[in-house]
Amino acid sequence: MPLEELVKKAQATFIHQYGDSGRKITMVVAPSRLTLLGGEYTEAVDGFSLLAAGNHSVVVAAQRRADKMAFIHSLNYDEKIKVSLTTLKFDRGDGWANFPKGVLYFYERTGRKLEGIQMVLAGDVPEGIGLGTSAAITVATAVACNELGNNPLDDATLTKLCHRVESQFMTSRGDYFSPYAIKFAKKDQLVLFDARTFKPEYMPFDSKNYKLVVVDSGVRKKEREDEFKKRLELFNQLLAEIRKFVPKVISLRDVGGEAYEMARKNIDIILRKRLDHVVYENQRVKKAKDLLIKGDYESFGQLLNESHDSLADKLKATCQEVDILTRVVRNQPGCLGSRMMGIGWGGSLVCLVKADATPTFVDRVRGDYKKQVNIAPQVYVNEPQEGTREVEAPVATPATS
């Protein structure tokens, strides 16, 4: 859905739901998230990721209240909840609403009192394929709180708050790079995430001549979370092992150069492969920065291939369907490279495709993958978009039932 239509729909629903008081309706747009390099594994070692905002969005329409209540209406789920800001807690039965509830819970605890809020959420981010739907909801809600409050959080603190929603309020796996990308992204640029500094660096992206095409394998292996945890536990063990040879290393992010090449020879070959992925992946992120500044998209595409092949060969994090999909996309004319997004054992690929080849690429990938695994893949064409921001509300028009 075009963003303008999504914003209009959210605003019209807000007026229909809460009435037209004549007061300003704050409208916030948060984009989807694309992971080109790095991600969950490099973040786990304080490392680097290369990210972009995608073409899908979550829109929040919001106003402040004065009664310590939160009224939240999801247009996508056609559900409404009402909760007190003084008694916010996780409730599995609230489902999607736990994301904005978690933001309000932590925002209140920063001392920035909202006194109350009424909201409508609308979005077109495809769920379950690794485009950061939950992070888009949390960041959009947090930015709305910032706009409605008197003492806004800085952007880095806000993204860390959004991470706490999943990792603490919901006690599930969350990451920092998703809310970071969704907040800090810029149009026609890729943003580099440093898990230590949270200071963004930007690289140009030629959206006119290249597209970022997301292709979902349609597969999520049941063992994926357990296997991911095993890899993270292994990284901790490897850090202790590396410190025997490079004592001053704080995290695996700091490992590299000649010292690492000497130390790795003393590590079991299987463990060495796991370690190689995060060490060399961090180097790939840094190399990508130079390639993009030079406009060398052929080499950048090859870097995506190297990253994916490392996930497959060194981390053993792919599966048969993803391997087939990888062969399918790389065989298409105009595809310069592809890489799996997410923790692995299923999920989506992000592909760097020449713009003039994109329509044919999409059609052929859909057909070829369906032919081989009998799954019709979801395919989405993206250009790097602007990060989360307030937008001007359309002219108020009361919604009809």
Side-chain angles (χ1 to χ4, degrees):
M1 179 184 295
L3 179 57
E4 295 78 8
E5 293 301 314
L6 199 59
V7 172
K8 288 179 182 178
K9 192 174 182 180
Q11 187 199 27
T13 303
F14 186 96
I15 294 169
H16 179 69
Q17 182 68 40
Y18 304 114
D20 187 359
S21 65
R23 292 185 296 128
K24 175 186 175 182
I25 302 172
T26 295
M27 307 294 298
V28 175
V29 173
S32 53
R33 183 265 300 130
L34 308 178
T35 309
L36 283 85
L37 293 169
E40 290 85 351
Y41 292 102
T42 52
E43 180 180 299
V45 300
D46 293 340
F48 304 96
S49 299
L50 189 63
L51 310 159
N55 283 52
H56 296 90
S57 303
V58 167
V59 176
V60 166
Q63 277 180 343
R64 194 166 180 165
R65 297 176 63 90
D67 56 3
K68 300 301 293 183
M69 296 298 296
F71 291 74
I72 309 172
H73 178 193
S74 168
L75 202 53
N76 291 54
Y77 293 100
D78 192 25
E79 294 177 358
K80 310 166 190 174
I81 71 157
K82 179 175 70 173
V83 292
S84 169
L85 292 183
T86 61
T87 58
L88 286 167
K89 62 180 180 180
F90 174 76
D91 185 340
R92 190 173 299 278
D94 284 341
W96 61 270
N98 284 300
F99 294 106
K101 278 172 55 182
V103 173
L104 297 173
Y105 175 86
F106 287 115
Y107 203 85
E108 283 283 294
R109 278 150 184 78
T110 65
R112 293 159 173 81
K113 304 298 183 183
L114 288 173
E115 302 305 329
I117 191 169
Q118 53 196 23
M119 303 167 52
V120 166
L121 288 84
D124 65 353
V125 183
E127 294 187 22
I129 72 167
L131 294 180
T133 308
S134 58
I137 293 172
T138 58
V139 177
T141 303
V143 171
C145 291
N146 257 356
E147 296 296 336
L148 294 171
N150 297 320
N151 185 20
L153 297 170
D154 65 85
D155 290 342
T157 302
L158 183 141
T159 61
K160 292 173 184 177
L161 181 151
C162 291
H163 168 264
R164 295 175 69 190
V165 173
E166 291 193 66
S167 64
Q168 296 179 31
F169 188 76
M170 302 180 71
T171 62
S172 59
R173 180 175 60 80
D175 60 65
Y176 287 103
F177 69 85
S178 292
Y180 173 95
I182 288 167
K183 181 63 188 78
F184 283 101
K186 289 187 179 181
K187 186 167 176 57
D188 298 329
Q189 297 189 59
L190 306 184
V191 58
L192 190 151
F193 170 65
D194 182 333
R196 276 192 187 151
T197 68
F198 277 73
K199 293 179 180 179
E201 289 186 66
Y202 296 97
M203 286 111 258
F205 185 86
D206 181 2
S207 297
K208 181 180 178 181
N209 293 305
Y210 302 94
K211 306 299 177 186
L212 298 171
V213 184
V214 173
V215 186
D216 182 32
S217 69
V219 174
R220 308 289 184 276
K221 299 297 184 182
K222 62 182 180 180
E223 69 270 19
R224 64 198 310 249
E225 290 291 340
D226 288 340
E227 291 295 332
F228 175 63
K229 289 176 184 176
K230 288 179 185 176
R231 301 302 186 276
L232 299 195
E233 290 168 1
L234 189 61
F235 292 157
N236 290 330
Q237 297 172 23
L238 285 166
L239 178 58
E241 190 68 22
I242 281 290
R243 281 175 174 161
K244 295 177 182 177
F245 307 98
V246 193
K248 294 183 179 180
V249 166
I250 298 172
S251 74
L252 293 180
R253 166 227 174 98
D254 302 306
V255 177
E258 292 183 12
Y260 175 59
E261 295 303 326
M262 292 179 63
R264 69 190 292 275
K265 296 175 183 177
N266 297 287
I267 299 172
D268 173 82
I269 188 168
I270 300 298
L271 301 182
R272 186 192 311 165
K273 286 184 177 181
R274 307 292 185 259
L275 181 58
D276 280 350
H277 175 74
V278 290
V279 171
Y280 297 136
E281 184 73 357
N282 279 320
Q283 294 176 10
R284 280 187 282 269
V285 175
K286 296 175 184 178
K287 185 177 179 181
K289 177 181 174 181
D290 295 332
L291 294 175
L292 288 161
I293 291 172
K294 293 175 184 175
D296 187 351
Y297 287 87
E298 295 280 348
S299 297
F300 178 56
Q302 185 55 40
L303 212 58
L304 298 183
N305 286 341
E306 291 173 13
S307 175
H308 177 88
D309 294 346
S310 177
L311 285 164
D313 300 333
K314 296 186 182 299
L315 275 193
K316 300 295 182 184
T318 62
C319 62
Q320 183 179 23
E321 293 87 352
V322 168
D323 292 342
I324 292 171
L325 182 57
T326 299
R327 290 194 292 272
V328 167
V329 301
R330 291 185 185 177
N331 282 336
Q332 306 307 326
C335 180
L336 301 183
S338 68
R339 180 194 185 269
M340 182 180 69
M341 297 194 298
I343 62 174
W345 300 278
S348 302
L349 300 181
V350 60
C351 309
L352 179 65
V353 184
K354 292 181 179 179
D356 57 3
T358 297
T360 302
F361 173 88
V362 170
D363 289 342
R364 291 183 59 172
V365 165
R366 282 177 174 153
D368 291 355
Y369 185 63
K370 177 79 161 56
K371 208 176 290 181
Q372 295 191 46
V373 298
N374 199 29
I375 295 175
Q378 299 180 70
V379 184
Y380 302 100
V381 179
N382 295 269
E383 300 171 3
Q385 300 297 316
E386 195 69 22
T388 308
R389 71 276 186 199
E390 184 181 7
V391 296
E392 187 174 342
V395 177
T397 303
T400 57
S401 57

